[in-house]
Amino acid sequence: YQYSMSTYWDVSTASYDSVSFSVASQESNPRGLVFKSDGRKMFIIGNGSDAISEYALSTAWDVSTASFTTNFSVSSQESGPQGLFFAPDGYKVWIVGSGDTVYQYSLTTAWDISTASYDNVSFSTSSQSSIAIGVEFKSNGSKMYILDNVGDNVYQYSLAPSTITWPLSVEWPSGTAPTAPANGETDIYTFFT
């Protein structure tokens, strides 16, 4: 269901647009919804199909123009998926479900769920959450938030950046080791022996 707000980000000003789109052909029990930042794609996750379904919107942000394109099963990791979150660049997606574990996937083509694969990376939230139903990240990736259905809580986690400690035997042309890559940056090191 689609709503418009007369004041940005203020749900008290929302009104129903009389616009909707049924996902029943792909998912009988939808739980999570995410849009691509430009409004041209919509993603649904649910525990009927245990899959992420992708839809293309011919008019940005207008769900009445949506059409199903493809889906990606997460059933090998989670049998009761509840929520999903995409990285801002569309190359990563995380899901969470009743198993209280966050699973991470990579996409070789941004925002194309058919190119997703499991990273063999997961994180259990079971020490805090009984049934996790939502996952969100801070825009720079430094914080993760889990919404819990049983305790009615939001749990916050800090994600520390990875560090590299080089052995003293490595000699650098400049005399000092390079600084760590920034968030989202990939550095390539070539070693000559």
Side-chain angles (χ1 to χ4, degrees):
Y1 294 97
Q2 177 178 307
Y3 300 79
S4 291
M5 270 85 79
S6 55
T7 302
Y8 292 165
W9 300 102
D10 184 349
V11 295
S12 70
T13 69
S15 59
Y16 180 47
D17 290 340
S18 297
V19 173
S20 63
F21 178 78
S22 175
V23 297
S25 296
Q26 292 77 44
E27 180 54 63
S28 62
N29 197 2
R31 295 297 180 149
L33 167 69
V34 169
F35 280 86
K36 183 181 174 189
S37 54
D38 65 2
R40 293 285 186 172
K41 283 196 175 183
M42 177 176 74
F43 301 86
I44 298 285
I45 194 168
N47 57 27
S49 66
D50 299 334
I52 301 170
S53 297
E54 176 185 305
Y55 303 83
L57 284 72
S58 57
T59 301
W61 304 106
D62 184 346
V63 296
S64 69
T65 69
S67 59
F68 173 69
T69 52
T70 189
N71 62 19
F72 174 75
S73 175
V74 296
S75 61
S76 295
Q77 290 78 47
E78 177 60 64
S79 61
Q82 302 285 325
L84 75 162
F85 181 87
F86 273 84
D89 64 5
Y91 281 102
K92 294 273 188 194
V93 63
W94 294 266
I95 69 156
V96 70
S98 54
D100 299 317
T101 299
V102 178
Y103 296 98
Q104 177 181 300
Y105 303 82
S106 290
L107 289 74
T108 55
T109 301
W111 300 103
D112 183 350
I113 201 65
S114 69
T115 69
S117 61
Y118 178 47
D119 288 342
N120 290 310
V121 173
S122 64
F123 177 77
S124 175
T125 63
S126 60
S127 296
Q128 295 79 39
S129 174
S130 298
I131 298 179
I133 60 170
V135 59
E136 294 283 332
F137 286 83
K138 187 176 175 180
S139 58
N140 69 0
S142 65
K143 300 284 184 187
M144 178 177 73
Y145 304 91
I146 297 295
L147 180 63
D148 177 59
N149 189 39
V150 175
D152 301 328
N153 291 311
V154 176
Y155 294 100
Q156 176 179 306
Y157 301 84
S158 293
L159 289 79
S162 299
T163 58
I164 300 172
T165 303
W166 300 102
L168 295 176
S169 60
V170 176
E171 296 178 12
W172 300 97
S174 65
T176 58
T179 58
N183 279 345
E185 179 183 75
T186 301
D187 285 356
I188 298 172
Y189 301 99
T190 305
F191 291 91
F192 299 93
T193 58

